Amino acid sequence: MEQTLFDKIWNDHQVAELDDGSFLVYIDRVFLHERTGSVALSSLAESGRAVRNPAQVFGTVDHIIDTTPGRSDRTRMPGGEAFVRAMRELSRQAGIRFIDIHDRRQGISHLVSAEQGIALPGLTLVCPDSHTCTLGALGTLAWGIGSSECEHAMATETLRLKKPGQMQVRCDGELPAGVTAKDLALHLIGRHSAAGGRGFAIEFCGSTVERLPLAGRATLCNMAVEFSAFTALVAPDEKTLAYVEQRPLAPAGDQLASARQYWERLHTDPGARFDLQLTIDAADVAPTVTWGTSPQHAVAVDGRVPDPRHIADEQERRTTELAMAYMDLAPGTAVRDLAIDGAFIGSCTNSRLPDLRAAAAVLDGNRVADGITAICVPGSSAIKREAEAEGLDEVFRAAGFEWRESGCSLCFYAGGEGFPTGARVISSTNRNFEGRQGRGVRTHLASPATVAASAIAGRIADCRETTARP
Amino acid sequence: MKPLRQHQGVAVPLLRINIDTDAIIPSREMKRVSKKGLGQGLFAGWRYRYEGDEKVGPEPEFALNQPAYAGASILLAGANFGCGSSREHAVWALAEYGFRVLVAPSFGSIFRNNCIRNGLLPVTLPAEQVETLADSLQPDPQQRRIKVDLEARVIETADGRTLEFSIDEAARKTLLDGLDAIEVTLRHDDAIQAFKAADRQRRAWASLWPE
Ligand code: SF4
C-alpha cells in the first residue's frame, strides 16, 4: 500500500498497539535544555528511576543562559544560575552527554541537534520544548513534549501516543524577491489560523519547499507548532543527505551506506492518502508581518490591522479587541510605518547562517535609526564562528546591532532580559504572545530581512525597498 | 497521581481564545528547578498590578481576584487554551492553584497531554456550550457550582442542565485511576525489548553507544 513519509517513520517505530487505541512508539533520541530538562532529570532521579539508555540522551544550555560576551553561569534571571548548575550536575549523574556553556558545540537545542547529527532522517527525537518540530526539516520525526513525558521517554525509551492525522501542505512556484520561508509560514498561519494544523503531522512539499535551503525548511517546520500541528516533516533529499553525512554523530562506513539506503526510501509514495491537503501558490506570498498577539494575526507588510466590527464570531471579536488594546493599535492602522523601539534577530526560527546573511545584505552600509535597540544573537556557537569568518559580525556591528553569544536570549525573556515595558519590537522569532519579550512588550514577527529593513527605517518597513549601500 | 472521578466546584470563566502558556505562567515566574511554587505565578501578567516590573498588588478586574470566583477549581476558557510552549509549568501552576477541570472548545496538544499526566481533566465542549456553562454561574458562582462526572462523561450545571462530553479512553483511564504512566508502560517491557532487538538488526545505523 502507498505510504506517506510519516507512515514510514511511524511504522518503523511502533512497538505495540495498546488496548486504549494509543500506540507505544520507540524514541531514538532525547534532547534536554536547562529550563525544562533540568526539571525532568531531577524529577526522574527523585522517583528513583534511571535514564535507561544514556547514550541516546543529550543536553545543553540555551534558554536562560546569558548571551552577552564574556558570559558565565550567572544569568540575568534571578536564580537562573541554579538551572544551569542543576542541568550540568544532573546530566553528569544521569550519564548523558551534556554540551556546556563554553563548549564549541553550544547553541539553541534544535540547532545543536541538527549540527551534531543527533537528529537524522527517519529517527524519532523528542525534547521538552515545543519547537522541536524544527528538526522535521531533516526528515526527523521530532516533536515537543512536557517534562513528565520526557521522564517517560528517558525511563522507557518510548512514548504513548495517539496517531495524529496527516496533512500535506504543498507550495509550488518561486517565492517573489524578498520573500522567505518565514513569510510563507506566517502567510499559512494567517490564512488558516493558529489552530489550522491541530492534530496533524504535516508534510511540507512542492517545488518551493524543494528549492528552499535546509535553513528555510527549518524555519517552516519550526512554525508548525504555531499552527498547532503535532509536528512537521520535509522529505530528505540530496541536499539533506549531503548535510547530515557531514555531522559528527552521523553513521560512518558500512553503517552510512545502509543508512543512506534507508534514507532514500523516506518519501511519500505517489497516491498515498492524506486527511487534509492545503496548497499555497508561492507567487501569492508577500513579506509578512504580524500586528497582534497570535501568529495568526499576520498580514502582508502593506496590510492593515483588521476592524473587529467585521468579525462575526463574538469570542473571536473580543479576542481581537484585546489583542489590539495590548498592541496599542486602532482598527485599520497600516502595519507598515509603525514606529518601533527595538529589533531582534535570533531564535530557533531565524538565526541560521542564511538568515544572518539575508539580514546583513540589507544592513550593509546602512545604520540603524536613532533610538532603536537592535540585537543579533546567532543560533549556535558554530553559526557565530561561521558568520564571523564571513565578516557578518562586522556588518551587524557597523550598522549599530549588538552581536552576541548564542542562546535563546530575547526570544522569550527567560534570561531575565527583555525590551523595556511597552516597547514596540520587530523580531525574527516565532511568538508574539503578550509579555513574551518583556512585560508589556509589543512584538511584531517578521523575517530577518524585514527586521533589518525596519531597524534601519525606525519603523516597520518593506525589505524590498531597502537597498544596501556597500 | 490523585484519581479524578467526580468533581464539584466553583467555576470561573476566562473566555478568550488562544490563551497561551506564556500567559498561564510567564517565564519569569518559573523560578526554581521544581514543579512546586508555581501557583502564585499563575496568570501573573493579568492577575497582578505592576509598577515597572514590580508587582504592587492584585488586579481587581481579573476574574480570579473577584470574591465571586474565590476557590475556583473549574476553568472555562476559549478555544486553543494552552497553545504555545511545552512548559508543563503551566499545568503545575493551574493544579497548584487548585484547578482540577478545564473546559474549552479545544486545547494546545502538548498542554492537553501534560494535563492528563498531572491529573487535570481537559473537557472539550463547543464554544456555545462553554458559554452556556458560563451563563449558568450567574448571579452567584459560589452557589451555582458545576458538577463534572468523568465516569458518566457529563457536566451538570446548578440549574439542572446536563452536557455530555467525550474523551479518549486512554486519557479517561489514566485520570480515573490516577495511573503512573511510566509504570503502565513498563508492563509492556517485553515488547519494548523485543522491538529493540529487531530494530538493531533493521536500523543498526540508528544506535548510539556511550562515549
Ligand atoms: S529560541 Fe525561543 S522558541 Fe526557540 S527554543 Fe529558544 S526560547 Fe524556544
Side-chain angles (χ1 to χ4, degrees), chain A residues 180-191 204 219-224 227 280 285 288 295 298 349:
Chain A
T180 65
K182 178 63 160 293
D183 303 294
L184 177 55
L186 290 173
H187 176 89
L188 172 73
I189 299 167
R191 181 172 287 190
F204 288 109
T219 303
L220 201 54
C221 290
N222 174 276
M223 294 295 287
F227 195 42
I280 298 177
V285 186
T288 303
T349 313

Side-chain angles (χ1 to χ4, degrees), chain A residues 62-63 108 110 129 131 222 347-349 408 411-412 430 436:
Chain A
D62 57 359
H63 271 65
I108 302 174
H110 318 310
D129 188 280
H131 290 98
N222 174 276
S347 91
C348 56
T349 313
C408 299
C411 173
F412 89 137
N430 44 50
R436 176 86 179 171

